[in-house]
Amino acid sequence: MTTSRAMQAPGPGAPLELVERELREPGRGEVRVRVEACGVCHSDAFTIEGGMPGIEYPRVPGHEIAGTIEAVGEGVEPWQEGQRVGVGWFGGHCGHCDPCRRGDLISCVNGRVPGIAYDGGYADHVVVPQSALASIPDELSAEDAAPLLCAGITTFNALRESGARAGDLVAILGIGGLGHLGVQYARNMGFETVAIARGTEKEQRARDLGAHHYIDSTATDVAEALQELGGAQTILATVTAPDAMSAAVGGLRPRGRMVVVGASADPMQIPPFALIPGSTGVLGHASGTSKDSEDTMRFSALQDVRPTIETYPLEQAAEGYARMMSGDARFRVVLTTGA
């Protein structure tokens, strides 16, 4: 085999197109992965719609990659051919910038993202730096592992680093692609878990996922409802609606924190006096490194946390992407290659 299929974005805003590309051998410090599944993430819009400066086109999107190592380049260790691996948003670090030298790899100023810095996982094969690899447990299928490499690590890592302890009240704001995993992680970490969403249609699903409480943000003042439960030590904001985040901040207990993982370019409107009396705070959280992805998948396998997915074959990537962007998917879209 000398060629490989890929769904590439020929330019910003142009329709995805199926192409055959020459199969590239990995260089020094790189591996070639035979892709089995690739999640479709809202951040793929950076590549497909052209929302990230500096992207070179044509470019293959995709940063939720699950597959098997097919070839290794010089200097690669300990990875070997045949190993099951995943690659997420963290697609490699430079090793020489100030954050890297301090061991803060996810904050690398030259960090690389699959599908943005180099071709990603909407393809049969992908070549990636070895530092981007995470081992996939045998208990996880490729289809289930793929979303955990972005949506999973984003919520899991934010919760375990939030400062909340077992028994604390933790609220998940938004029950979608991120939030439906956040509820499962929060419950399995031992938190008293609150799910917050618009309307009542997601209530039973949220409770099935493990939520102890449900708040309908269209019918109830979210901050007041959280205070009636004792106040949240952590609110994990997975929505991309700054107004919803702002409305929930008042639900924090003294010294509680809102951790923001829902990406939006719009500003939050929070008066300083909303934070000062209780010494509360709002902070963002980046997803995590490849090792954090391993931790996420190991915990998911151990505690039976799984994403709810809809699958599309690779050649229907455009339809899968449109389904995800519509907001109608329940809850993550995954492309499969048939490998």
Side-chain angles (χ1 to χ4, degrees):
M1 180 172 54
T2 58
T3 62
S4 177
R5 297 181 306 159
M7 291 294 297
Q8 69 179 19
L16 291 171
E17 59 183 12
L18 181 64
V19 297
E20 289 277 345
R21 290 184 162 195
E22 184 176 349
L23 195 61
R24 182 167 83 81
E25 292 301 316
R28 183 172 182 81
E30 294 181 328
V31 302
R32 187 174 70 223
V33 176
R34 178 72 165 93
V35 180
E36 298 170 18
C38 184
V40 178
C41 178
H42 196 278
S43 297
D44 293 343
F46 288 138
T47 300
I48 296 171
E49 308 299 335
M52 184 75 75
I55 295 180
E56 296 181 0
Y57 291 91
R59 177 63 79 221
V60 178
H63 59 268
E64 295 181 357
I65 306 163
T68 303
I69 295 178
E70 188 174 79
V72 299
E74 290 185 31
V76 170
E77 57 179 346
W79 305 100
Q80 299 178 352
E81 293 181 18
Q83 281 188 266
R84 300 184 69 222
V85 293
V87 183
W89 180 264
F90 179 83
H93 63 283
C94 72
H96 56 75
C97 69
D98 189 69
C100 280
R101 293 178 65 201
R102 296 180 185 278
D104 186 9
L105 305 185
I106 189 60
S107 300
C108 173
V109 297
N110 301 303
R112 306 175 72 195
V113 179
I116 295 177
Y118 53 86
D119 286 330
Y122 286 24
D124 287 331
H125 297 87
V126 62
V127 175
V128 301
Q130 63 174 335
S131 61
L133 297 175
S135 179
I136 298 177
D138 291 339
E139 296 88 344
L140 292 178
S141 68
E143 292 82 2
D144 283 340
L148 300 182
L149 292 155
C150 183
I153 183 180
T154 296
T155 50
F156 172 80
N157 217 23
L159 285 170
R160 72 170 177 171
E161 296 187 7
S162 69
R165 299 187 296 179
D168 283 344
L169 190 76
V170 169
I172 309 300
L173 178 60
I175 311 302
L178 293 173
H180 88 286
L181 288 166
V183 168
Q184 294 179 74
Y185 289 132
R187 175 63 182 252
N188 282 289
M189 289 178 180
F191 303 140
E192 184 178 354
T193 304
V194 185
I196 306 169
R198 293 177 57 84
T200 59
E201 62 273 11
K202 291 185 179 179
E203 179 173 2
Q204 188 56 55
R205 178 59 174 153
R207 293 188 181 277
D208 291 342
L209 291 169
H212 297 95
H213 312 280
Y214 183 84
I215 297 174
D216 174 4
S217 62
T218 66
T220 305
D221 184 294
V222 171
E224 289 183 2
L226 287 173
Q227 290 298 342
E228 289 175 2
L229 292 170
Q233 177 61 41
T234 296
I235 299 173
L236 183 66
T238 71
V239 295
T240 56
D243 288 346
M245 300 180 196
S246 301
V249 167
L252 291 168
R253 65 182 299 177
R255 303 192 183 278
R257 297 287 185 269
M258 172 178 281
V259 182
V260 179
V261 296
S264 172
D266 298 323
M268 298 171 64
Q269 300 293 325
I270 301 174
F273 193 72
L275 305 176
I276 294 171
S279 299
T280 54
V282 179
L283 67 154
H285 192 281
S287 57
T289 67
S290 54
K291 189 60 179 177
D292 293 321
S293 287
E294 283 192 4
D295 292 345
T296 300
M297 290 188 288
R298 288 180 60 249
F299 186 89
S300 300
L302 180 68
Q303 296 293 79
D304 199 29
V305 174
R306 298 291 188 276
T308 299
I309 63 174
E310 300 178 3
T311 60
Y312 288 75
L314 176 64
E315 58 270 21
Q316 293 182 17
E319 290 88 336
Y321 174 75
R323 173 72 170 169
M324 177 276 301
M325 291 295 288
S326 73
D328 294 331
R330 290 295 180 267
F331 287 99
R332 303 293 292 189
V333 171
V334 176
L335 305 179
T336 59
T337 63

